[in-house]
Amino acid sequence: MVHKTPYDTILGIETSCDETSAAVVRSGEVCSNVIASQLVHAEYGGVVPEMASREHERLLAYITRSALEQADTGTKDLDAIAVTYGPGLMGSLLVGVNFAKGLAMQNNIPVAGINHIEAHLLANMIDEPELDYPFLCLLVSGGHTQIIRVDGYGQYTILGTTIDDAAGEAFDKVARLLELGYPGGPYIDKYAKEGDPKKYDFPRSLKDSGDLNFSFSGLKTAALYTIQPMPENERRQELPHLCASFQEAIVDSLEMKLRDAARQTNIRSITIAGGVAANSRLRNRMKQMQEELNLRLYYPDFQYCTDNGAMIAFAGWYGFRNGIQHDLRLTAEPRLSIAATSVN
Ligand code: KG4
Ligand code: ZN
Protein backbone atom coordinates (compact mmCIF):
# COMPACT_ATOMS: atom_id res chain seq x y z
CA MET A 1 0.00 0.00 0.00
CA VAL A 2 1.49 3.34 -1.09
CA HIS A 3 0.74 6.29 1.21
CA LYS A 4 0.36 9.71 -0.35
CA THR A 5 2.82 12.52 0.36
CA PRO A 6 2.22 16.17 -0.58
CA TYR A 7 4.40 15.42 -3.60
CA ASP A 8 2.56 12.64 -5.33
CA THR A 9 2.31 13.70 -8.98
CA ILE A 10 5.75 14.33 -10.41
CA LEU A 11 6.88 15.44 -13.84
CA GLY A 12 10.32 14.05 -14.75
CA ILE A 13 12.62 15.66 -17.31
CA GLU A 14 15.66 13.92 -18.84
CA THR A 15 18.07 15.69 -21.22
CA SER A 16 21.53 14.55 -20.08
CA CYS A 17 22.68 13.06 -23.39
CA ASP A 18 20.85 12.31 -26.63
CA GLU A 19 17.39 11.31 -25.42
CA THR A 20 14.86 14.08 -24.86
CA SER A 21 12.31 12.64 -22.47
CA ALA A 22 9.50 13.63 -20.14
CA ALA A 23 7.25 11.47 -17.98
CA VAL A 24 4.62 11.63 -15.27
CA VAL A 25 4.67 9.42 -12.19
CA ARG A 26 1.73 9.43 -9.81
CA SER A 27 1.68 7.45 -6.53
CA GLY A 28 4.75 5.56 -7.76
CA GLU A 29 3.05 4.47 -11.00
CA VAL A 30 4.33 5.53 -14.40
CA CYS A 31 1.46 7.33 -16.19
CA SER A 32 3.43 8.37 -19.27
CA ASN A 33 6.99 8.11 -20.59
CA VAL A 34 7.65 9.98 -23.83
CA ILE A 35 11.12 9.54 -25.32
CA ALA A 36 12.59 11.15 -28.44
CA SER A 37 15.90 9.53 -29.37
CA GLN A 38 17.81 12.12 -31.35
CA LEU A 39 18.59 10.72 -34.79
CA VAL A 40 20.85 13.59 -35.87
CA HIS A 41 23.91 11.91 -34.31
CA ALA A 42 23.67 8.63 -36.26
CA GLU A 43 25.72 9.81 -39.23
CA TYR A 44 28.55 10.90 -36.90
CA GLY A 45 28.74 7.56 -35.07
CA GLY A 46 28.47 9.28 -31.68
CA VAL A 47 26.79 12.15 -29.87
CA VAL A 48 27.71 15.67 -31.06
CA PRO A 49 27.22 17.80 -27.89
CA GLU A 50 26.29 21.06 -29.63
CA MET A 51 23.66 19.32 -31.75
CA ALA A 52 22.30 17.48 -28.72
CA SER A 53 21.55 20.70 -26.80
CA ARG A 54 19.92 22.27 -29.86
CA GLU A 55 17.71 19.23 -30.31
CA HIS A 56 16.70 19.26 -26.62
CA GLU A 57 15.84 22.94 -26.97
CA ARG A 58 13.72 22.20 -30.03
CA LEU A 59 11.91 19.16 -28.63
CA LEU A 60 11.57 19.50 -24.87
CA ALA A 61 8.42 21.66 -24.59
CA TYR A 62 6.65 19.49 -27.14
CA ILE A 63 7.72 16.22 -25.48
CA THR A 64 6.64 17.56 -22.08
CA ARG A 65 3.23 18.51 -23.39
CA SER A 66 2.83 15.01 -24.87
CA ALA A 67 3.82 13.40 -21.55
CA LEU A 68 1.28 15.53 -19.66
CA GLU A 69 -1.47 14.78 -22.20
CA GLN A 70 -0.80 11.05 -22.19
CA ALA A 71 -1.02 11.07 -18.39
CA ASP A 72 -4.21 13.13 -18.58
CA THR A 73 -2.51 15.68 -16.33
CA GLY A 74 -2.39 19.48 -16.49
CA THR A 75 0.50 21.55 -15.15
CA LYS A 76 -1.85 22.61 -12.32
CA ASP A 77 -2.07 18.96 -11.20
CA LEU A 78 1.69 18.66 -10.73
CA ASP A 79 3.05 18.60 -7.18
CA ALA A 80 6.74 18.86 -8.15
CA ILE A 81 9.22 18.60 -11.00
CA ALA A 82 12.26 16.31 -11.05
CA VAL A 83 15.05 16.96 -13.52
CA THR A 84 18.41 15.35 -14.29
CA TYR A 85 21.16 17.77 -13.23
CA GLY A 86 24.15 15.46 -13.84
CA PRO A 87 26.20 13.67 -14.90
CA GLY A 88 25.97 14.38 -18.62
CA LEU A 89 26.69 16.97 -21.29
CA MET A 90 26.76 20.52 -19.92
CA GLY A 91 24.68 22.17 -22.66
CA SER A 92 22.12 19.36 -22.69
CA LEU A 93 21.71 19.37 -18.91
CA LEU A 94 21.26 23.14 -18.87
CA VAL A 95 18.35 22.94 -21.31
CA GLY A 96 16.50 20.52 -19.01
CA VAL A 97 17.37 22.26 -15.76
CA ASN A 98 16.32 25.72 -17.00
CA PHE A 99 13.13 24.42 -18.52
CA ALA A 100 12.24 22.63 -15.26
CA LYS A 101 12.98 25.68 -13.13
CA GLY A 102 10.85 27.91 -15.37
CA LEU A 103 7.91 25.52 -15.21
CA ALA A 104 8.29 25.15 -11.43
CA MET A 105 8.35 28.95 -10.97
CA GLN A 106 5.32 29.39 -13.14
CA ASN A 107 3.34 26.81 -11.17
CA ASN A 108 4.79 27.63 -7.76
CA ILE A 109 5.94 24.06 -7.10
CA PRO A 110 9.35 22.66 -6.07
CA VAL A 111 12.00 21.48 -8.49
CA ALA A 112 14.44 18.75 -7.41
CA GLY A 113 17.70 17.82 -9.13
CA ILE A 114 18.12 14.11 -9.82
CA ASN A 115 21.41 12.28 -10.25
CA HIS A 116 21.06 10.39 -13.53
CA ILE A 117 22.99 7.36 -12.22
CA GLU A 118 20.84 7.17 -9.11
CA ALA A 119 17.74 7.27 -11.32
CA HIS A 120 19.09 4.33 -13.36
CA LEU A 121 19.57 2.22 -10.24
CA LEU A 122 16.25 3.20 -8.63
CA ALA A 123 14.54 2.25 -11.93
CA ASN A 124 14.72 -1.30 -10.59
CA MET A 125 12.02 -0.32 -8.08
CA ILE A 126 9.49 0.92 -10.65
CA ASP A 127 8.09 -2.57 -11.12
CA GLU A 128 9.64 -4.08 -7.96
CA PRO A 129 8.58 -1.88 -5.03
CA GLU A 130 9.50 -4.75 -2.70
CA LEU A 131 13.21 -4.59 -3.61
CA ASP A 132 14.94 -4.45 -0.23
CA TYR A 133 18.22 -2.88 0.85
CA PRO A 134 21.04 -3.69 0.79
CA PHE A 135 21.54 -4.60 -2.85
CA LEU A 136 24.32 -4.50 -5.41
CA CYS A 137 23.81 -2.69 -8.69
CA LEU A 138 25.80 -3.33 -11.83
CA LEU A 139 25.39 0.03 -13.55
CA VAL A 140 26.32 -0.31 -17.23
CA SER A 141 25.64 2.56 -19.60
CA GLY A 142 27.27 4.58 -22.36
CA GLY A 143 29.19 6.71 -19.87
CA HIS A 144 29.53 4.50 -16.77
CA THR A 145 30.41 0.98 -15.69
CA GLN A 146 30.27 0.58 -11.94
CA ILE A 147 29.39 -1.87 -9.22
CA ILE A 148 27.53 0.09 -6.56
CA ARG A 149 26.61 -1.09 -3.10
CA VAL A 150 23.24 0.38 -2.12
CA ASP A 151 22.54 0.35 1.64
CA GLY A 152 19.56 2.69 1.55
CA TYR A 153 18.26 5.74 -0.25
CA GLY A 154 21.24 8.05 -0.75
CA GLN A 155 23.66 5.49 0.67
CA TYR A 156 25.80 4.49 -2.26
CA THR A 157 29.32 3.09 -2.27
CA ILE A 158 31.18 2.54 -5.53
CA LEU A 159 32.90 -0.84 -5.16
CA GLY A 160 34.36 -0.99 -8.65
CA THR A 161 34.50 1.12 -11.77
CA THR A 162 35.99 1.11 -15.25
CA ILE A 163 39.50 2.49 -15.47
CA ASP A 164 39.01 3.49 -19.14
CA ASP A 165 36.00 2.98 -21.45
CA ALA A 166 32.47 2.28 -20.27
CA ALA A 167 30.90 -0.98 -21.48
CA GLY A 168 28.33 0.87 -23.64
CA GLU A 169 31.08 3.01 -25.12
CA ALA A 170 32.99 -0.15 -26.11
CA PHE A 171 29.82 -1.55 -27.75
CA ASP A 172 29.37 1.73 -29.65
CA LYS A 173 33.00 1.98 -30.79
CA VAL A 174 33.17 -1.61 -32.06
CA ALA A 175 29.79 -1.23 -33.76
CA ARG A 176 31.22 1.79 -35.53
CA LEU A 177 34.21 -0.26 -36.73
CA LEU A 178 31.72 -2.75 -38.10
CA GLU A 179 29.69 0.08 -39.67
CA LEU A 180 26.56 -0.99 -37.84
CA GLY A 181 25.07 2.38 -36.83
CA TYR A 182 24.63 4.25 -33.58
CA PRO A 183 23.98 3.43 -30.78
CA GLY A 184 25.80 0.19 -31.47
CA GLY A 185 24.81 -2.00 -28.50
CA PRO A 186 21.43 -3.11 -29.85
CA TYR A 187 22.96 -3.98 -33.28
CA ILE A 188 25.72 -6.10 -31.72
CA ASP A 189 23.14 -7.78 -29.48
CA LYS A 190 21.03 -8.63 -32.55
CA TYR A 191 23.82 -9.98 -34.81
CA ALA A 192 25.45 -11.88 -31.92
CA LYS A 193 22.37 -14.12 -31.66
CA GLU A 194 23.46 -15.94 -34.86
CA GLY A 195 27.18 -16.06 -33.98
CA ASP A 196 29.69 -18.28 -32.20
CA PRO A 197 30.90 -16.55 -29.00
CA LYS A 198 34.04 -18.71 -28.94
CA LYS A 199 35.23 -18.09 -32.50
CA TYR A 200 37.43 -15.10 -31.62
CA ASP A 201 39.47 -15.07 -28.45
CA PHE A 202 39.13 -11.49 -27.18
CA PRO A 203 40.78 -10.46 -23.87
CA ARG A 204 39.04 -10.29 -20.48
CA SER A 205 41.10 -7.49 -18.94
CA LEU A 206 41.75 -7.19 -15.18
CA LYS A 207 40.57 -10.79 -14.75
CA ASP A 208 43.10 -11.40 -11.98
CA SER A 209 43.43 -7.86 -10.67
CA GLY A 210 41.98 -8.79 -7.28
CA ASP A 211 39.72 -5.72 -7.27
CA LEU A 212 36.29 -5.01 -8.72
CA ASN A 213 37.43 -2.69 -11.51
CA PHE A 214 36.88 -3.07 -15.24
CA SER A 215 38.88 -2.21 -18.35
CA PHE A 216 37.57 -2.36 -21.91
CA SER A 217 40.15 -0.45 -23.93
CA GLY A 218 42.34 -3.54 -24.53
CA LEU A 219 39.29 -5.40 -25.80
CA LYS A 220 38.44 -2.52 -28.12
CA THR A 221 41.99 -2.51 -29.51
CA ALA A 222 41.97 -6.29 -29.96
CA ALA A 223 38.69 -5.97 -31.88
CA LEU A 224 40.23 -3.23 -34.02
CA TYR A 225 43.27 -5.39 -34.91
CA THR A 226 40.99 -8.30 -35.80
CA ILE A 227 38.42 -6.34 -37.81
CA GLN A 228 40.53 -3.77 -39.64
CA PRO A 229 42.62 -6.14 -41.82
CA MET A 230 39.56 -8.15 -42.91
CA PRO A 231 38.41 -7.68 -46.51
CA GLU A 232 34.84 -6.42 -46.87
CA ASN A 233 33.28 -9.79 -47.79
CA GLU A 234 35.00 -11.64 -44.93
CA ARG A 235 33.90 -8.96 -42.48
CA ARG A 236 30.32 -9.37 -43.63
CA GLN A 237 30.50 -13.15 -43.36
CA GLU A 238 32.14 -13.05 -39.94
CA LEU A 239 29.86 -10.32 -38.55
CA PRO A 240 27.74 -12.56 -36.28
CA HIS A 241 30.84 -14.32 -34.88
CA LEU A 242 32.70 -11.05 -34.30
CA CYS A 243 29.65 -9.60 -32.53
CA ALA A 244 29.07 -12.73 -30.42
CA SER A 245 32.76 -13.07 -29.42
CA PHE A 246 33.10 -9.38 -28.55
CA GLN A 247 29.84 -9.34 -26.59
CA GLU A 248 30.87 -12.49 -24.71
CA ALA A 249 34.13 -10.85 -23.61
CA ILE A 250 32.23 -7.86 -22.19
CA VAL A 251 29.59 -10.00 -20.50
CA ASP A 252 32.27 -12.33 -19.05
CA SER A 253 34.10 -9.36 -17.50
CA LEU A 254 30.90 -7.90 -16.04
CA GLU A 255 29.69 -11.22 -14.69
CA MET A 256 33.06 -12.14 -13.17
CA LYS A 257 33.35 -8.94 -11.14
CA LEU A 258 29.71 -8.94 -10.07
CA ARG A 259 30.14 -12.52 -8.86
CA ASP A 260 33.22 -11.42 -6.85
CA ALA A 261 31.28 -8.46 -5.41
CA ALA A 262 28.44 -10.75 -4.28
CA ARG A 263 30.94 -13.10 -2.66
CA GLN A 264 32.93 -10.34 -0.94
CA THR A 265 29.91 -8.45 0.44
CA ASN A 266 27.64 -11.43 0.99
CA ILE A 267 24.77 -9.34 -0.41
CA ARG A 268 22.09 -11.58 -1.91
CA SER A 269 20.13 -9.08 -4.04
CA ILE A 270 21.60 -8.10 -7.38
CA THR A 271 20.27 -5.53 -9.83
CA ILE A 272 21.45 -4.38 -13.23
CA ALA A 273 20.73 -0.95 -14.68
CA GLY A 274 21.63 1.42 -17.54
CA GLY A 275 21.41 0.99 -21.31
CA VAL A 276 23.63 -2.12 -21.46
CA ALA A 277 21.26 -3.83 -18.99
CA ALA A 278 19.00 -4.22 -22.05
CA ASN A 279 21.57 -6.64 -23.53
CA SER A 280 19.96 -10.07 -23.95
CA ARG A 281 23.15 -12.07 -23.37
CA LEU A 282 23.92 -10.15 -20.17
CA ARG A 283 20.38 -10.81 -18.91
CA ASN A 284 20.70 -14.53 -19.67
CA ARG A 285 24.07 -14.83 -17.99
CA MET A 286 22.76 -12.94 -14.95
CA LYS A 287 19.89 -15.41 -14.70
CA GLN A 288 22.31 -18.34 -14.81
CA MET A 289 24.43 -16.74 -12.11
CA GLN A 290 21.37 -16.10 -9.98
CA GLU A 291 20.35 -19.74 -10.16
CA GLU A 292 23.83 -21.02 -9.52
CA LEU A 293 24.51 -18.78 -6.51
CA ASN A 294 20.90 -18.70 -5.29
CA LEU A 295 20.65 -14.90 -5.45
CA ARG A 296 17.69 -12.58 -5.99
CA LEU A 297 18.00 -10.82 -9.35
CA TYR A 298 16.16 -7.72 -10.55
CA TYR A 299 16.37 -5.73 -13.74
CA PRO A 300 14.19 -2.97 -15.11
CA ASP A 301 11.77 -3.36 -17.99
CA PHE A 302 13.51 -2.54 -21.32
CA GLN A 303 11.91 0.91 -21.59
CA TYR A 304 13.44 1.86 -18.21
CA CYS A 305 16.99 0.66 -19.06
CA THR A 306 18.07 3.21 -21.66
CA ASP A 307 17.66 6.90 -20.83
CA ASN A 308 14.06 7.82 -20.05
CA GLY A 309 12.05 10.42 -18.16
CA ALA A 310 10.10 7.83 -16.15
CA MET A 311 13.17 6.88 -14.10
CA ILE A 312 13.73 10.59 -13.34
CA ALA A 313 10.10 11.16 -12.33
CA PHE A 314 10.20 7.98 -10.24
CA ALA A 315 13.49 8.99 -8.54
CA GLY A 316 11.82 12.34 -7.78
CA TRP A 317 8.70 10.71 -6.39
CA TYR A 318 10.80 8.30 -4.30
CA GLY A 319 13.15 11.12 -3.28
CA PHE A 320 10.33 13.34 -1.99
CA ARG A 321 9.25 10.49 0.30
CA ASN A 322 12.82 10.21 1.57
CA GLY A 323 13.91 13.77 2.22
CA ILE A 324 15.21 14.95 -1.15
CA GLN A 325 16.38 18.59 -1.21
CA HIS A 326 14.84 21.07 -3.64
CA ASP A 327 16.22 24.47 -4.44
CA LEU A 328 15.65 26.97 -7.26
CA ARG A 329 19.41 27.62 -7.35
CA LEU A 330 19.79 24.16 -8.90
CA THR A 331 22.34 24.07 -11.70
CA ALA A 332 23.83 21.50 -14.06
CA GLU A 333 26.73 19.37 -12.79
CA PRO A 334 28.22 17.46 -15.74
CA ARG A 335 30.66 15.45 -13.63
CA LEU A 336 28.34 14.58 -10.76
CA SER A 337 29.17 11.25 -9.07
CA ILE A 338 26.75 8.82 -7.45
CA ALA A 339 28.99 8.90 -4.38
CA ALA A 340 28.13 12.62 -4.02
CA THR A 341 24.42 11.87 -3.76
CA SER A 342 23.46 11.43 -0.16
CA VAL A 343 20.63 12.47 2.11
CA ASN A 344 21.44 13.97 5.49
O1 KG4 B 1 21.85 4.45 -20.16
P1 KG4 B 1 21.99 4.86 -21.58
O2 KG4 B 1 20.74 5.02 -22.42
O3 KG4 B 1 22.75 6.23 -21.71
C1 KG4 B 1 23.76 6.61 -20.83
O4 KG4 B 1 23.44 7.02 -19.69
O5 KG4 B 1 24.92 6.44 -21.26
O6 KG4 B 1 22.98 3.82 -22.27
C2 KG4 B 1 23.29 3.92 -23.62
C3 KG4 B 1 24.23 2.78 -23.95
C4 KG4 B 1 24.78 2.88 -25.37
O7 KG4 B 1 26.18 2.74 -25.31
C5 KG4 B 1 24.12 1.70 -26.08
O8 KG4 B 1 24.89 1.15 -27.12
C6 KG4 B 1 23.94 0.72 -24.94
O9 KG4 B 1 23.56 1.53 -23.84
N1 KG4 B 1 22.91 -0.29 -25.21
C7 KG4 B 1 23.19 -1.61 -25.34
C8 KG4 B 1 21.96 -2.24 -25.65
N2 KG4 B 1 20.97 -1.29 -25.68
C9 KG4 B 1 21.59 -0.10 -25.41
N3 KG4 B 1 24.34 -2.29 -25.24
C10 KG4 B 1 24.30 -3.62 -25.44
N4 KG4 B 1 23.17 -4.30 -25.76
C11 KG4 B 1 21.98 -3.66 -25.88
N5 KG4 B 1 20.87 -4.35 -26.18
ZN1 ZN C 1 21.85 6.78 -18.78
Side-chain angles (χ1 to χ4, degrees), residues 182-193:
Y182 179 85
Y187 290 102
I188 293 191
D189 193 349
K190 183 176 125 204
Y191 288 109
K193 288 192 167 68

Side-chain angles (χ1 to χ4, degrees), residues 80-119:
I81 300 179
V83 60
T84 305
Y85 76 112
L89 301 169
M90 179 54 125
S92 293
L93 291 166
L94 281 174
V95 174
V97 167
N98 283 328
F99 180 83
K101 285 203 287 192
L103 202 55
M105 283 281 289
Q106 192 189 16
N107 290 281
N108 201 21
I109 53 175
V111 60
I114 302 293
N115 181 317
H116 180 87
I117 302 299
E118 181 184 40

Side-chain angles (χ1 to χ4, degrees), residues 89-156:
L89 301 169
M90 179 54 125
S92 293
L93 291 166
L94 281 174
V95 174
V97 167
N98 283 328
F99 180 83
K101 285 203 287 192
L103 202 55
M105 283 281 289
Q106 192 189 16
N107 290 281
N108 201 21
I109 53 175
V111 60
I114 302 293
N115 181 317
H116 180 87
I117 302 299
E118 181 184 40
H120 268 306
L121 73 85
L122 292 178
N124 279 288
M125 291 184 180
I126 295 177
D127 295 323
E128 287 287 352
E130 305 302 317
L131 171 58
D132 262 345
Y133 301 111
F135 62 86
L136 293 176
C137 181
L138 173 65
L139 193 295
V140 267
S141 71
H144 292 81
T145 299
Q146 295 174 331
I147 297 177
I148 302 165
R149 179 188 170 120
V150 184
D151 283 295
Y153 177 68
Q155 295 172 36
Y156 312 118

Side-chain angles (χ1 to χ4, degrees), residues 60-340:
L60 186 55
Y62 173 75
I63 295 292
T64 302
R65 175 174 287 178
S66 306
L68 289 168
E69 279 173 6
Q70 284 186 25
D72 206 10
T73 300
T75 46
K76 296 277 171 289
D77 304 321
L78 294 175
D79 296 318
I81 300 179
V83 60
T84 305
Y85 76 112
L89 301 169
M90 179 54 125
S92 293
L93 291 166
L94 281 174
V95 174
V97 167
N98 283 328
F99 180 83
K101 285 203 287 192
L103 202 55
M105 283 281 289
Q106 192 189 16
N107 290 281
N108 201 21
I109 53 175
V111 60
I114 302 293
N115 181 317
H116 180 87
I117 302 299
E118 181 184 40
H120 268 306
L121 73 85
L122 292 178
N124 279 288
M125 291 184 180
I126 295 177
D127 295 323
E128 287 287 352
E130 305 302 317
L131 171 58
D132 262 345
Y133 301 111
F135 62 86
L136 293 176
C137 181
L138 173 65
L139 193 295
V140 267
S141 71
H144 292 81
T145 299
Q146 295 174 331
I147 297 177
I148 302 165
R149 179 188 170 120
V150 184
D151 283 295
Y153 177 68
Q155 295 172 36
Y156 312 118
T157 312
I158 299 171
L159 302 180
T161 189
T162 178
I163 59 168
D164 41 53
D165 291 354
E169 195 180 351
F171 269 108
D172 294 338
K173 285 179 177 167
V174 168
R176 191 175 178 182
L177 281 175
L178 292 165
E179 295 171 8
L180 293 181
Y182 179 85
Y187 290 102
I188 293 191
D189 193 349
K190 183 176 125 204
Y191 288 109
K193 288 192 167 68
E194 313 295 323
D196 174 4
K198 294 204 176 78
K199 178 139 191 202
Y200 294 93
D201 186 19
F202 289 131
R204 277 72 171 152
S205 303
L206 303 189
K207 194 166 100 193
D208 302 311
S209 61
D211 56 26
L212 298 174
N213 290 335
F214 305 95
S215 165
F216 297 110
S217 74
L219 168 62
K220 186 185 63 188
T221 309
L224 174 76
Y225 288 154
T226 308
I227 295 164
Q228 223 169 31
M230 280 185 176
E232 182 72 32
N233 59 342
E234 186 185 354
R235 199 184 290 189
R236 214 173 307 125
Q237 196 180 314
E238 290 301 298
L239 183 63
H241 308 307
L242 289 164
C243 288
S245 302
F246 166 77
Q247 177 177 271
E248 200 68 8
I250 295 223
V251 172
D252 269 352
S253 301
L254 296 173
E255 201 243 20
M256 221 158 32
K257 295 294 170 110
L258 190 57
R259 195 180 269 266
D260 286 351
R263 194 170 30 82
Q264 286 173 23
T265 59
N266 211 15
I267 291 178
R268 314 301 299 160
S269 295
I270 308 286
T271 65
I272 51 174
V276 181
N279 183 267
S280 56
R281 183 68 181 148
L282 179 63
R283 286 180 176 233
N284 284 342
R285 291 282 301 277
M286 290 289 125
K287 265 189 221 148
Q288 285 170 18
M289 181 176 104
Q290 171 210 10
E291 281 161 23
E292 195 188 314
L293 301 182
N294 195 22
L295 302 168
R296 290 176 294 275
L297 171 70
Y298 306 88
Y299 39 78
D301 192 66
F302 282 108
Q303 59 171 323
Y304 307 135
C305 283
T306 45
D307 291 350
N308 66 92
M311 71 180 189
I312 306 303
F314 183 82
W317 177 83
Y318 191 80
F320 274 108
R321 312 172 73 75
N322 288 279
I324 198 172
Q325 307 294 316
H326 53 86
D327 188 336
L328 277 172
R329 290 170 300 179
L330 180 69
T331 188
E333 290 193 27
R335 302 184 63 80
L336 185 68
S337 161
I338 184 80

